[in-house]
Protein backbone atom coordinates (compact mmCIF):
# COMPACT_ATOMS: atom_id res chain seq x y z
CA UNK A 1 0.00 0.00 0.00
CA UNK A 2 2.84 2.39 0.81
CA UNK A 3 4.31 4.01 -2.29
CA UNK A 4 8.04 4.58 -2.55
CA UNK A 5 7.22 8.26 -3.13
CA UNK A 6 5.10 8.62 0.02
CA UNK A 7 7.68 9.71 2.64
CA UNK A 8 8.72 12.69 0.47
CA UNK A 9 5.11 13.64 -0.24
CA UNK A 10 3.26 16.38 1.63
CA UNK A 11 -0.44 16.00 2.33
CA UNK A 12 -2.64 19.10 2.17
CA UNK A 13 -6.18 18.89 3.51
CA UNK A 14 -8.72 21.56 2.62
CA UNK A 15 -10.91 22.13 5.66
CA UNK A 16 -11.90 25.78 5.24
CA UNK A 17 -15.46 25.36 3.92
CA UNK A 18 -18.49 26.51 5.90
CA UNK A 19 -20.32 23.18 5.66
CA UNK A 20 -23.60 24.92 4.86
CA UNK A 21 -25.41 21.74 3.83
CA UNK A 22 -24.85 20.33 7.33
CA UNK A 23 -26.27 23.33 9.17
CA UNK A 24 -27.14 23.83 11.93
CA UNK A 25 -24.47 21.38 13.19
CA UNK A 26 -21.77 23.34 11.36
CA UNK A 27 -22.71 26.60 13.05
CA UNK A 28 -20.70 25.46 16.08
CA UNK A 29 -18.23 22.94 14.63
CA UNK A 30 -16.50 22.79 11.25
CA UNK A 31 -17.70 19.87 9.13
CA UNK A 32 -14.47 17.83 9.33
CA UNK A 33 -14.64 17.94 13.14
CA UNK A 34 -18.16 16.51 13.50
CA UNK A 35 -18.11 13.26 15.49
CA UNK A 36 -18.15 10.29 13.13
CA UNK A 37 -18.12 6.77 14.59
CA UNK A 38 -16.67 8.09 17.83
CA UNK A 39 -13.96 10.45 16.56
CA UNK A 40 -13.86 13.74 14.63
CA UNK A 41 -14.33 12.95 10.95
CA UNK A 42 -10.84 14.17 10.07
CA UNK A 43 -9.24 11.48 12.25
CA UNK A 44 -10.32 8.85 9.72
CA UNK A 45 -8.65 10.73 6.86
CA UNK A 46 -5.49 11.42 8.87
CA UNK A 47 -5.23 7.73 9.74
CA UNK A 48 -5.40 6.81 6.06
CA UNK A 49 -2.73 9.35 5.22
CA UNK A 50 -0.44 8.00 7.93
CA UNK A 51 -1.14 4.43 6.81
CA UNK A 52 0.00 5.38 3.29
CA UNK A 53 3.37 6.42 4.68
CA UNK A 54 2.93 10.19 4.39
CA UNK A 55 4.28 12.02 7.43
CA UNK A 56 3.80 15.75 6.86
CA UNK A 57 0.29 17.22 6.74
CA UNK A 58 -0.76 20.84 6.21
CA UNK A 59 -4.32 21.83 7.00
CA UNK A 60 -5.70 24.71 4.92
CA UNK A 61 -8.14 26.29 7.36
CA UNK A 62 -10.48 29.26 7.33
CA UNK A 63 -13.90 28.86 8.95
CA UNK A 64 -13.43 27.98 12.65
CA UNK A 65 -9.70 27.54 12.08
CA UNK A 66 -8.79 27.43 15.77
CA UNK A 67 -10.80 24.25 16.41
CA UNK A 68 -8.41 22.16 14.31
CA UNK A 69 -5.24 23.33 16.00
CA UNK A 70 -6.76 22.91 19.46
CA UNK A 71 -7.57 19.30 18.68
CA UNK A 72 -4.62 18.10 16.60
CA UNK A 73 -1.82 20.41 17.87
CA UNK A 74 1.50 19.37 16.25
CA UNK A 75 0.04 16.02 15.18
CA UNK A 76 2.41 13.89 17.27
CA UNK A 77 -0.48 12.16 19.06
CA UNK A 78 -1.61 11.01 15.61
CA UNK A 79 1.81 9.90 14.40
CA UNK A 80 2.07 12.85 12.00
CA UNK A 81 3.61 16.28 11.76
CA UNK A 82 0.67 18.65 11.27
CA UNK A 83 0.95 22.33 10.35
CA UNK A 84 -1.78 24.92 9.78
CA UNK A 85 -2.24 27.78 7.34
CA UNK A 86 -5.29 29.96 7.90
CA UNK A 87 -7.08 32.09 5.31
CA UNK A 88 -8.54 35.18 6.98
CA UNK A 89 -11.00 35.36 4.05
CA UNK A 90 -11.82 32.03 2.37
CA UNK A 91 -9.65 31.68 -0.75
CA UNK A 92 -11.59 28.80 -2.29
CA UNK A 93 -10.18 25.36 -3.00
CA UNK A 94 -7.44 26.54 -5.40
CA UNK A 95 -6.57 29.58 -3.30
CA UNK A 96 -6.37 27.35 -0.23
CA UNK A 97 -3.88 25.05 -1.97
CA UNK A 98 -1.77 28.02 -3.19
CA UNK A 99 -1.84 29.53 0.29
CA UNK A 100 -0.03 26.57 1.92
CA UNK A 101 2.85 26.66 -0.62
CA UNK A 102 5.42 28.06 1.88
CA UNK A 103 4.93 24.96 4.06
CA UNK A 104 5.43 22.39 1.28
CA UNK A 105 8.67 20.42 1.18
CA UNK A 106 8.39 17.77 -1.52
CA UNK A 107 8.05 17.71 -5.30
CA UNK A 108 4.70 15.92 -5.17
CA UNK A 109 1.82 17.10 -3.03
CA UNK A 110 -1.26 15.07 -2.23
CA UNK A 111 -4.32 17.29 -1.76
CA UNK A 112 -7.53 16.15 -0.09
CA UNK A 113 -10.99 17.59 0.31
CA UNK A 114 -11.54 17.33 4.05
CA UNK A 115 -14.98 15.73 3.89
CA UNK A 116 -14.40 12.53 1.94
CA UNK A 117 -14.70 9.09 3.52
CA UNK A 118 -12.86 6.58 1.40
CA UNK A 119 -10.95 3.37 1.17
CA UNK A 120 -8.73 4.24 -1.75
CA UNK A 121 -5.15 3.01 -1.79
CA UNK A 122 -3.40 6.38 -1.65
CA UNK A 123 -0.04 4.84 -2.50
CA UNK A 124 -1.53 3.55 -5.75
CA UNK A 125 -2.78 7.05 -6.66
CA UNK A 126 0.73 8.35 -6.07
CA UNK A 127 2.25 5.57 -8.16
CA UNK A 128 -0.12 6.37 -11.05
CA UNK A 129 1.08 9.98 -10.86
CA UNK A 130 4.77 9.04 -10.90
CA UNK A 131 4.32 6.44 -13.67
CA UNK A 132 2.54 8.92 -15.96
CA UNK A 133 4.99 11.73 -15.18
CA UNK A 134 1.83 13.72 -14.61
CA UNK A 135 1.43 17.36 -13.66
CA UNK A 136 -1.76 16.52 -11.80
CA UNK A 137 -3.38 13.16 -11.02
CA UNK A 138 -6.96 13.00 -9.83
CA UNK A 139 -8.62 10.20 -7.98
CA UNK A 140 -11.86 9.43 -9.83
CA UNK A 141 -14.85 7.29 -8.87
CA UNK A 142 -18.12 6.34 -10.56
CA UNK A 143 -21.38 7.46 -8.95
CA UNK A 144 -25.09 7.09 -9.71
CA UNK A 145 -25.75 10.83 -10.04
CA UNK A 146 -22.69 12.84 -11.10
CA UNK A 147 -24.47 16.22 -11.14
CA UNK A 148 -23.45 17.18 -7.58
CA UNK A 149 -19.75 16.62 -8.33
CA UNK A 150 -16.97 17.47 -10.74
CA UNK A 151 -17.50 15.34 -13.84
CA UNK A 152 -14.17 14.12 -15.29
CA UNK A 153 -14.05 12.23 -18.59
CA UNK A 154 -10.78 10.50 -19.52
CA UNK A 155 -9.39 8.96 -22.71
CA UNK A 156 -8.13 5.39 -23.23
CA UNK A 157 -4.78 6.25 -21.61
CA UNK A 158 -6.45 7.64 -18.50
CA UNK A 159 -5.68 11.22 -19.53
CA UNK A 160 -8.29 13.75 -18.39
CA UNK A 161 -10.07 15.38 -21.34
CA UNK A 162 -12.37 17.83 -19.48
CA UNK A 163 -13.32 18.99 -15.99
CA UNK A 164 -16.97 19.98 -15.63
CA UNK A 165 -17.87 21.10 -12.11
CA UNK A 166 -21.47 20.36 -11.12
CA UNK A 167 -22.88 20.17 -14.61
CA UNK A 168 -26.56 19.34 -15.19
CA UNK A 169 -25.59 17.39 -18.29
CA UNK A 170 -22.68 15.11 -17.29
CA UNK A 171 -21.12 13.20 -20.21
CA UNK A 172 -19.90 10.37 -17.92
CA UNK A 173 -20.59 8.99 -14.43
CA UNK A 174 -16.90 9.36 -13.57
CA UNK A 175 -16.34 12.11 -10.99
CA UNK A 176 -13.64 13.92 -9.08
CA UNK A 177 -13.27 12.09 -5.77
CA UNK A 178 -11.59 15.07 -4.08
CA UNK A 179 -8.03 13.70 -3.86
CA UNK A 180 -5.25 14.90 -6.15
CA UNK A 181 -1.51 14.68 -6.60
CA UNK A 182 0.07 17.94 -7.79
CA UNK A 183 3.56 18.60 -9.02
CA UNK A 184 4.87 21.45 -6.94
CA UNK A 185 5.34 23.77 -9.96
CA UNK A 186 1.63 23.57 -10.74
CA UNK A 187 0.79 24.89 -7.27
CA UNK A 188 3.38 27.66 -7.70
CA UNK A 189 1.47 28.81 -10.81
CA UNK A 190 -1.89 29.24 -9.03
CA UNK A 191 -2.55 32.99 -8.57
CA UNK A 192 -1.89 34.09 -4.98
CA UNK A 193 -3.83 36.42 -2.74
CA UNK A 194 -7.28 36.04 -4.28
CA UNK A 195 -10.03 33.41 -4.24
CA UNK A 196 -9.46 30.66 -6.81
CA UNK A 197 -11.54 27.54 -7.44
CA UNK A 198 -9.37 24.57 -8.30
CA UNK A 199 -12.37 22.94 -9.97
CA UNK A 200 -13.68 25.89 -12.00
CA UNK A 201 -10.46 27.74 -12.77
CA UNK A 202 -7.24 25.76 -12.23
CA UNK A 203 -8.20 22.39 -13.76
CA UNK A 204 -9.86 23.82 -16.90
CA UNK A 205 -6.84 26.10 -17.43
CA UNK A 206 -4.37 23.22 -17.08
CA UNK A 207 -6.30 21.24 -19.70
CA UNK A 208 -6.36 24.22 -22.08
CA UNK A 209 -2.59 24.56 -21.65
CA UNK A 210 -2.13 20.87 -22.52
CA UNK A 211 -0.68 19.94 -19.14
CA UNK A 212 -0.42 16.24 -18.24
CA UNK A 213 -3.57 15.65 -16.15
CA UNK A 214 -4.40 11.99 -15.47
CA UNK A 215 -7.14 10.11 -13.65
CA UNK A 216 -6.75 7.23 -11.23
CA UNK A 217 -10.02 5.33 -11.23
CA UNK A 218 -10.92 2.69 -8.68
CA UNK A 219 -13.96 1.08 -7.08
CA UNK A 220 -13.00 1.46 -3.41
CA UNK A 221 -15.51 2.74 -0.86
CA UNK A 222 -16.16 6.46 -1.40
CA UNK A 223 -18.57 9.01 0.04
CA UNK A 224 -18.64 12.80 0.30
CA UNK A 225 -19.97 13.48 3.81
CA UNK A 226 -21.27 16.96 3.01
CA UNK A 227 -25.04 16.40 3.31
CA UNK A 228 -27.07 15.00 6.23
CA UNK A 229 -28.03 11.90 4.21
CA UNK A 230 -24.43 11.16 3.32
CA UNK A 231 -23.14 11.96 6.79
CA UNK A 232 -25.61 9.55 8.39
CA UNK A 233 -24.89 6.88 5.80
CA UNK A 234 -21.10 7.24 6.02
CA UNK A 235 -21.18 7.11 9.80
CA UNK A 236 -23.34 3.97 9.74
CA UNK A 237 -21.06 2.39 7.13
CA UNK A 238 -18.07 2.95 9.42
CA UNK A 239 -19.87 1.41 12.37
CA UNK A 240 -20.93 -1.62 10.35
CA UNK A 241 -17.55 -2.13 8.73
CA UNK A 242 -18.78 -1.29 5.22
CA UNK A 243 -16.49 1.76 5.13
CA UNK A 244 -12.90 1.03 6.09
CA UNK A 245 -10.99 3.19 8.57
CA UNK A 246 -7.61 2.52 10.15
CA UNK A 247 -8.78 4.78 13.01
CA UNK A 248 -11.39 2.25 14.13
CA UNK A 249 -10.23 -0.80 16.00
CA UNK A 250 -12.08 -3.91 17.01
CA UNK A 251 -15.28 -5.51 15.92
CA UNK A 252 -17.87 -3.63 13.96
CA UNK A 253 -21.58 -4.18 14.39
CA UNK A 254 -25.04 -2.68 14.40
CA UNK A 255 -24.14 0.06 16.88
CA UNK A 256 -21.21 1.82 18.53
CA UNK A 257 -21.92 3.03 22.05
CA UNK A 258 -19.49 5.08 24.12
CA UNK A 259 -18.71 3.26 27.41
CA UNK A 260 -19.99 6.23 29.42
CA UNK A 261 -23.41 6.26 27.70
CA UNK A 262 -26.39 4.63 29.36
CA UNK A 263 -28.91 2.48 27.49
CA UNK A 264 -32.32 1.82 28.99
CA UNK A 265 -34.02 -1.59 29.08
CA UNK A 266 -35.50 -2.71 25.79
CA UNK A 267 -33.87 0.06 23.77
CA UNK A 268 -32.98 -1.08 20.24
CA UNK A 269 -29.87 0.30 18.55
CA UNK A 270 -29.47 -0.84 14.94
CA UNK A 271 -28.46 0.26 11.47
CA UNK A 272 -25.00 1.52 12.45
CA UNK A 273 -26.25 3.81 15.23
CA UNK A 274 -23.63 5.76 17.20
CA UNK A 275 -24.20 6.91 20.78
CA UNK A 276 -21.72 9.47 22.10
CA UNK A 277 -20.06 10.13 25.44
CA UNK A 278 -22.43 10.52 28.36
CA UNK A 279 -25.54 10.20 26.18
CA UNK A 280 -28.64 8.58 27.64
CA UNK A 281 -31.07 6.37 25.73
CA UNK A 282 -34.40 5.73 27.43
CA UNK A 283 -36.26 2.46 27.81
CA UNK A 284 -37.76 1.04 24.66
CA UNK A 285 -36.34 3.75 22.41
CA UNK A 286 -35.59 2.63 18.86
CA UNK A 287 -32.57 4.10 17.08
CA UNK A 288 -31.95 3.03 13.49
CA UNK A 289 -29.01 4.66 11.75
CA UNK A 290 -28.95 7.45 14.35
CA UNK A 291 -25.91 9.59 15.11
CA UNK A 292 -26.23 10.78 18.71
CA UNK A 293 -23.58 13.30 19.76
CA UNK A 294 -22.17 13.56 23.29
CA UNK A 295 -24.46 14.39 26.16
CA UNK A 296 -27.73 13.98 24.26
CA UNK A 297 -30.76 12.38 25.92
CA UNK A 298 -33.32 10.31 24.03
CA UNK A 299 -36.26 9.52 26.27
CA UNK A 300 -38.39 6.42 26.57
CA UNK A 301 -40.11 5.10 23.47
CA UNK A 302 -38.68 7.71 21.10
CA UNK A 303 -37.91 6.59 17.54
CA UNK A 304 -34.89 8.08 15.74
CA UNK A 305 -34.15 7.04 12.16
CA UNK A 306 -31.28 8.25 9.93
CA UNK A 307 -30.95 11.42 11.99
CA UNK A 308 -28.13 13.43 13.54
CA UNK A 309 -28.79 14.47 17.14
CA UNK A 310 -26.52 17.36 18.19
CA UNK A 311 -24.61 17.86 21.43
CA UNK A 312 -26.81 17.98 24.54
CA UNK A 313 -30.11 17.63 22.68
CA UNK A 314 -33.13 16.25 24.53
CA UNK A 315 -35.73 14.23 22.63
CA UNK A 316 -38.89 13.68 24.66
CA UNK A 317 -40.78 10.43 25.18
CA UNK A 318 -42.31 8.81 22.09
CA UNK A 319 -41.09 11.52 19.72
CA UNK A 320 -40.38 10.39 16.15
CA UNK A 321 -37.53 11.88 14.11
CA UNK A 322 -36.81 10.54 10.64
CA UNK A 323 -34.18 11.98 8.26
CA UNK A 324 -33.59 15.03 10.46
CA UNK A 325 -30.82 17.19 11.85
CA UNK A 326 -31.26 18.42 15.41
CA UNK A 327 -29.02 21.33 16.44
CA UNK A 328 -27.01 21.41 19.65
CA UNK A 329 -29.01 21.88 22.83
CA UNK A 330 -32.42 21.73 21.14
CA UNK A 331 -35.34 20.25 23.03
CA UNK A 332 -37.85 18.17 21.08
CA UNK A 333 -40.99 17.70 23.12
CA UNK A 334 -42.77 14.41 23.73
CA UNK A 335 -44.66 12.92 20.77
CA UNK A 336 -43.34 15.48 18.28
CA UNK A 337 -42.94 14.14 14.75
CA UNK A 338 -40.13 15.53 12.61
CA UNK A 339 -39.76 13.97 9.17
CA UNK A 340 -38.11 14.30 5.76
CA UNK A 341 -35.21 16.66 6.16
CA UNK A 342 -36.45 18.62 9.18
CA UNK A 343 -33.70 20.78 10.70
CA UNK A 344 -34.13 22.10 14.23
CA UNK A 345 -31.90 25.07 15.09
CA UNK A 346 -29.68 25.00 18.20
CA UNK A 347 -31.44 25.66 21.49
CA UNK A 348 -34.92 25.65 19.96
CA UNK A 349 -37.59 24.18 22.24
CA UNK A 350 -40.52 22.35 20.64
CA UNK A 351 -43.40 21.84 23.08
CA UNK A 352 -44.85 18.38 23.72
CA UNK A 353 -46.88 17.30 20.69
CA UNK A 354 -46.05 20.66 19.07
CA UNK A 355 -45.30 19.34 15.56
CA UNK A 356 -47.13 16.36 14.10
CA UNK A 357 -47.44 14.68 10.71
CA UNK A 358 -50.44 12.67 11.81
CA UNK A 359 -53.79 13.44 13.37
CA UNK A 360 -53.92 10.88 16.19
CA UNK A 361 -53.35 12.29 19.67
N1 LIG B 1 -9.11 26.14 2.91
C1 LIG B 1 -10.27 26.20 2.27
N2 LIG B 1 -10.72 27.39 1.79
N3 LIG B 1 -11.00 25.06 2.12
C2 LIG B 1 -12.18 25.15 1.46
C3 LIG B 1 -12.69 26.36 0.95
C4 LIG B 1 -11.91 27.55 1.15
O1 LIG B 1 -12.29 28.66 0.76
N4 LIG B 1 -13.89 26.10 0.37
C5 LIG B 1 -14.10 24.77 0.50
N5 LIG B 1 -13.07 24.19 1.17
C6 LIG B 1 -12.92 22.79 1.52
C7 LIG B 1 -14.12 22.21 2.24
O2 LIG B 1 -13.95 22.33 3.64
C8 LIG B 1 -14.10 20.76 1.79
O3 LIG B 1 -13.30 19.95 2.62
C9 LIG B 1 -13.47 20.81 0.41
O4 LIG B 1 -12.81 22.09 0.31
C10 LIG B 1 -14.48 20.66 -0.73
O5 LIG B 1 -15.51 21.61 -0.54
P1 LIG B 1 -17.06 21.15 -0.61
O6 LIG B 1 -17.86 22.37 -0.33
O7 LIG B 1 -17.28 19.95 0.22
O8 LIG B 1 -17.18 20.83 -2.16
P2 LIG B 1 -18.20 19.83 -2.88
O9 LIG B 1 -18.40 18.61 -2.10
O10 LIG B 1 -19.41 20.61 -3.26
O11 LIG B 1 -17.41 19.50 -4.24
C11 LIG B 1 -16.05 19.12 -4.21
O12 LIG B 1 -15.89 17.77 -3.80
C12 LIG B 1 -16.45 16.78 -4.70
C13 LIG B 1 -16.07 15.40 -4.16
O13 LIG B 1 -16.47 15.24 -2.86
C14 LIG B 1 -15.45 19.32 -5.63
O14 LIG B 1 -14.05 19.15 -5.52
C15 LIG B 1 -16.05 18.35 -6.63
O15 LIG B 1 -15.40 18.47 -7.88
C16 LIG B 1 -15.88 16.93 -6.13
O16 LIG B 1 -16.52 16.02 -7.02
MG1 LIG C 1 -17.88 17.98 -0.19
Amino acid sequence: MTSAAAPQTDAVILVGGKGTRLRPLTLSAPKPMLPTAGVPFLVHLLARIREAGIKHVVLGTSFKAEVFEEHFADGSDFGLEIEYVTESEPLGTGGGIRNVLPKLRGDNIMVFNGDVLGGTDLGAVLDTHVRNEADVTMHLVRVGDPRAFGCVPTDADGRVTAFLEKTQDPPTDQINAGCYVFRREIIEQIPAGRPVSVEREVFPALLTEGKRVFGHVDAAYWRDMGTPEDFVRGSADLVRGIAPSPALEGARGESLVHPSASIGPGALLIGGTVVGRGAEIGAGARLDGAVVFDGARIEAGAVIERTIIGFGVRVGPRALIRDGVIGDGADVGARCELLRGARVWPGVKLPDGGIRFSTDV
Side-chain angles (χ1 to χ4, degrees):
M1 187 171 231
T2 305
S3 159
Q8 286 78 44
T9 302
D10 307 282
V12 173
I13 312 180
L14 297 169
V15 291
K18 293 196 173 77
T20 50
R21 289 165 293 181
L22 278 170
R23 282 183 188 162
L25 300 170
T26 43
L27 296 174
S28 53
K31 171 166 65 173
M33 294 303 284
L34 291 176
T36 317
V39 292
F41 176 75
L42 203 55
V43 172
H44 299 291
L45 179 54
L46 290 170
R48 286 180 53 227
I49 289 171
R50 185 186 53 216
E51 188 185 60
I54 297 176
K55 302 192 169 1
H56 179 228
V57 178
V58 187
L59 296 190
T61 65
S62 178
F63 176 67
K64 299 211 175 287
E66 67 289 351
V67 180
F68 296 95
E69 196 156 358
E70 279 162 18
H71 191 89
F72 295 109
D74 66 359
S76 49
D77 289 355
F78 299 84
L80 293 164
E81 180 188 352
I82 303 182
E83 297 190 279
Y84 306 84
V85 182
T86 302
E87 300 147 43
S88 42
E89 290 300 318
L91 291 172
T93 46
I97 297 168
R98 175 62 179 80
N99 202 44
V100 306
L101 180 62
K103 299 281 189 199
L104 302 178
R105 300 167 185 169
D107 295 331
N108 289 315
I109 294 94
M110 213 159 193
V111 177
F112 298 88
N113 286 350
D115 62 346
V116 170
L117 179 62
T120 301
D121 180 344
L122 301 180
V125 181
L126 208 44
D127 289 341
T128 299
H129 179 78
V130 172
R131 188 179 64 245
N132 286 321
E133 299 181 347
D135 292 306
V136 174
T137 302
M138 298 176 185
H139 176 220
L140 307 176
V141 291
R142 297 204 155 81
V143 295
D145 183 0
R147 289 174 300 178
F149 303 103
C151 179
V152 188
T154 46
D155 69 14
D157 299 325
R159 194 155 174 168
V160 171
T161 55
F163 194 103
L164 308 158
E165 181 68 7
K166 301 193 175 94
T167 174
Q168 281 306 303
D169 195 16
T172 159
D173 61 359
Q174 196 170 271
I175 61 127
N176 168 26
C179 161
Y180 325 108
V181 189
F182 278 82
R183 266 184 48 225
R184 185 193 179 92
E185 293 88 290
I186 301 295
I187 297 180
E188 288 168 352
Q189 286 158 23
I190 299 174
R194 69 162 171 91
V196 180
S197 162
V198 78
E199 297 90 350
R200 295 179 193 276
E201 187 174 340
V202 176
F203 293 147
L206 292 176
L207 294 171
T208 304
E209 292 162 18
K211 290 285 195 303
R212 297 178 63 78
V213 182
F214 282 83
H216 176 95
V217 189
D218 68 17
Y221 183 93
W222 186 87
R223 185 172 297 278
D224 179 310
M225 299 285 272
T227 66
E229 304 74 51
D230 282 309
F231 189 86
V232 161
R233 188 60 187 283
S235 172
D237 285 349
L238 280 166
V239 171
R240 302 170 94 182
I242 296 166
S245 171
L248 287 185
E249 289 159 8
R252 315 282 190 97
E254 280 299 286
S255 65
L256 179 67
V257 178
H258 193 275
S260 65
S262 71
I263 311 295
L268 184 63
L269 310 181
I270 57 172
T273 286
V274 187
V275 179
R277 182 188 304 269
E280 296 171 28
I281 311 299
R286 181 189 150 91
L287 278 64
D288 186 350
V291 182
V292 179
F293 288 2
D294 297 354
R297 195 164 97 232
I298 312 292
E299 299 200 344
V303 175
I304 314 286
E305 296 176 2
R306 300 179 301 274
T307 288
I308 312 167
I309 303 283
F311 293 100
V313 164
R314 184 195 77 112
V315 176
R318 289 189 290 127
L320 165 66
I321 312 179
R322 185 178 290 150
D323 302 306
V325 181
I326 312 299
D328 300 338
D331 187 308
V332 178
R335 301 182 319 286
C336 279
E337 294 173 338
L338 301 172
L339 309 178
R340 297 178 213 128
R343 294 178 196 239
V344 176
W345 245 244
V348 165
K349 187 168 165 52
L350 300 175
D352 291 351
I355 298 189
R356 309 275 291 166
F357 277 69
S358 60
T359 50
D360 44 308
V361 285

